[in-house]
Amino acid sequence: MKILMLSATFPYPPTRGGTPIRTFNLLKYLSQRHPVTLVTQRSEDVTDEEIEQLGEYVDKLVIFPRPESEQTKTGTGAKIQRFGEFLLEGTPPSVRSIYSEAMQNWIDEWVNAGKCEAITCEHSVNEIFVRPEWKHQLKTVVDVHSSVYGTIRQQLQTHTAEKPLRDRLNLPLLYRYEKRYCSKFSAIVVTTPEDRQQLIAFNPKARFETVPNGVDLDQFPPRRQDPGGHRLIFVGTMDYIANIDAARYFSLEVFPKLKQRYPDATLALAGARPVPSVLELTKIPGIEVTGRVPSMAEYLHQATVCIVPMRIGFGIKNKTLEAMAAGVPVVGSNSGLEGLAVDGPNVPLRALRANTVEEYIDAISRLFEDAQLRQKLSDQGRTLIETEYTWERAGQRYEQVLLA
């Protein structure tokens, strides 16, 4: 099958995390079995070497410059203009910001020439390049990493929105937008059953398929020994609102109380691009903000417990999968463990669940004090990843969506 993949985000190297890691690994699997043409955009931080390396994984690599974003313009006039365009045209500014007429023309010519049998949009923003009528002549798939409407609504409900007034105005427009774009595709791919429930309201008749994320088991081998001690780690890019909220919530509300019980406890906030509100957490004794690290697996192996205290955000969390692959016991919230069978009747215990300050302290204390429980979670977490959450398995599922 001739596949055209659309990704405005340059999907290499996969160590960038988030969208790049999922796009690259699905692309890598498909390109071993099908001719894949990737159309993507180059931002200023993409190097010539990275372009050359990515080109080795596809049949054809087509790159366009990243458009200059109108969202960088500040001032009341610019904000009113963007909202007005959203109101009239129905497409959010964040989606319009990646639109390239040159890229659209190239895609149109490629499709009209019959050079592909399937189109995949790697992240929902790429839907802007897909014409509604194409659904009737070839397979069109959108890989929705999470519902923007659902995410914004959740942030408003939990009072974590950065700009609540703007988000309240945008919310009904986002609902209209997602309902429209969900009707354009032959199939809609989500990462968890919870995501499916978020999106099914927009198009109940659509074909939904769940393709979870995976882990590169070579990059995240299980740790050879339990380090013991009272060392915690939280992993994630530290300029993403959900990670910022999680880091600050745990550092300010949970960690000081845990420190009273375990004075030598430490917390590493490990991830690239820490914003000032994360960097200032180093003022709290025992907290380290690492920035980008050479090997996340090595940092995980040094930790006694990995925490995933997410309060907002949907979808399966790479950070959770990677910690479990590395054999590190996990304590996570409902959001941090979304999509994973880790506890409950007839399910082997693979992680501990916590959603309040008291539950975090209790779960972490249990693990600090019980080496056997740590080993149990380490072994059973790794087994779950090996059997259910490899990129090979995710690629197989994605391929079946395209071939069905």
Side-chain angles (χ1 to χ4, degrees):
M1 171 177 276
K2 295 180 290 185
I3 301 170
L4 176 63
M5 298 186 78
L6 309 180
S7 176
T9 300
F10 192 82
Y12 195 86
T15 51
R16 292 178 188 269
T19 296
I21 192 171
R22 180 173 172 88
T23 301
F24 172 76
N25 282 286
L26 293 178
L27 177 156
K28 179 182 176 181
Y29 180 89
L30 292 175
S31 65
Q32 294 170 355
R33 294 157 179 79
H34 308 274
V36 174
T37 297
L38 173 67
V39 183
T40 187
Q41 295 179 354
R42 178 180 186 174
S43 54
E44 292 181 355
D45 61 339
V46 175
T47 67
D48 292 341
E49 183 181 8
E50 289 169 345
I51 291 174
E52 184 178 351
Q53 291 170 347
L54 178 60
E56 296 176 1
Y57 291 94
V58 293
D59 190 63
K60 185 179 180 65
L61 177 60
V62 183
I63 300 176
F64 290 88
R66 189 83 171 182
E68 292 186 13
S69 176
E70 292 292 319
Q71 287 188 281
T72 58
K73 295 182 179 179
T74 59
T76 304
K79 293 176 182 178
I80 292 174
Q81 181 180 352
R82 286 195 292 269
F83 178 77
E85 291 171 348
F86 187 9
L87 182 64
L88 294 174
E89 298 176 15
T91 303
S94 59
V95 178
R96 289 203 317 274
S97 69
I98 63 123
Y99 186 74
S100 159
E101 188 172 347
M103 183 168 162
Q104 181 72 72
N105 291 337
W106 192 96
I107 295 168
D108 288 346
E109 291 178 9
W110 192 259
V111 172
N112 293 334
K115 295 184 178 180
C116 61
E117 299 165 279
I119 298 176
T120 71
C121 290
E122 304 306 322
H123 198 294
S124 59
V125 294
N126 297 282
E127 66 77 22
I128 195 170
F129 295 108
V130 175
R131 310 269 183 201
E133 61 268 21
W134 289 348
K135 182 172 73 171
H136 304 295
Q137 64 188 84
L138 71 165
K139 179 68 66 72
T140 55
V141 175
V142 59
D143 185 6
V144 182
H145 294 195
S146 62
S147 164
V148 180
Y149 167 79
T151 299
I152 295 300
R153 182 180 62 179
Q154 183 190 56
Q155 290 174 6
L156 287 170
Q157 290 172 341
T158 56
H159 307 289
T160 54
E162 291 182 293
K163 299 180 179 179
L165 177 59
R166 178 202 64 185
D167 290 347
R168 288 192 189 95
L169 291 172
N170 285 341
L171 198 61
L173 303 182
L174 287 168
Y175 184 92
R176 182 183 67 178
Y177 162 71
E178 293 202 344
K179 186 178 181 67
R180 173 171 60 80
Y181 91 68
C182 279
S183 69
K184 295 200 300 185
F185 292 91
S186 310
I188 299 172
V189 171
V190 295
T191 64
T192 68
E194 290 85 351
D195 275 351
R196 183 181 183 276
Q197 289 302 117
Q198 285 285 328
L199 290 164
I200 197 170
F202 299 122
N203 189 359
K205 296 180 180 180
R207 177 189 166 207
F208 286 89
E209 298 289 348
T210 302
V211 178
N213 286 345
V215 179
D216 185 327
L217 298 181
D218 292 331
Q219 288 186 7
F220 291 89
R223 66 186 185 187
R224 295 181 180 179
Q225 62 182 17
D226 180 351
H230 303 132
R231 292 187 286 273
L232 301 173
I233 189 170
F234 172 61
V235 171
T237 52
M238 295 297 170
D239 61 352
Y240 173 49
I241 183 173
N243 290 338
I244 296 168
D245 175 75
R248 288 186 60 81
Y249 163 69
F250 190 89
S251 298
L252 297 172
E253 298 189 33
V254 182
F255 188 69
K257 294 184 178 179
L258 189 71
K259 193 89 167 158
Q260 293 174 3
R261 186 176 296 187
Y262 302 97
D264 65 337
T266 62
L267 168 61
L269 302 175
R273 303 186 298 276
V275 296
S277 61
V278 172
L279 289 171
E280 71 179 16
L281 296 173
T282 58
K283 296 176 183 178
I284 301 172
I287 294 183
E288 173 194 15
V289 177
T290 70
R292 182 180 294 278
V293 298
S295 170
M296 191 58 75
E298 290 182 9
Y299 258 78
L300 284 165
H301 289 166
Q302 296 167 17
T304 319
V305 175
C306 178
I307 55 164
V308 193
M310 313 301 291
R311 299 196 298 176
I312 54 177
F314 294 101
I316 204 162
K317 309 300 186 295
N318 286 331
K319 57 174 65 67
T320 308
L321 300 180
E322 290 168 356
M324 295 174 77
V328 183
V330 170
V331 174
S333 64
N334 290 342
S335 177
L337 300 174
E338 182 180 330
L340 302 175
V342 298
D343 54 8
N346 303 316
V347 176
L349 186 64
R350 294 153 171 158
L352 299 186
R353 194 178 298 271
N355 292 289
T356 66
V357 172
E358 292 72 22
E359 287 172 351
Y360 277 109
I361 292 173
D362 178 65
I364 293 168
S365 297
R366 285 177 62 194
L367 287 169
F368 278 173
E369 297 172 12
D370 190 339
Q372 288 186 333
L373 179 58
R374 292 199 300 272
Q375 192 62 48
K376 180 179 181 179
L377 296 191
S378 176
D379 293 341
Q380 295 183 166
R382 173 71 185 192
T383 299
L384 175 66
I385 301 304
E386 289 177 341
T387 55
E388 296 291 335
Y389 295 100
T390 64
W391 283 118
E392 178 86 6
R393 187 168 177 82
Q396 291 171 352
R397 293 177 177 178
Y398 203 45
E399 182 184 36
Q400 288 304 310
V401 174
L402 295 171
L403 294 177

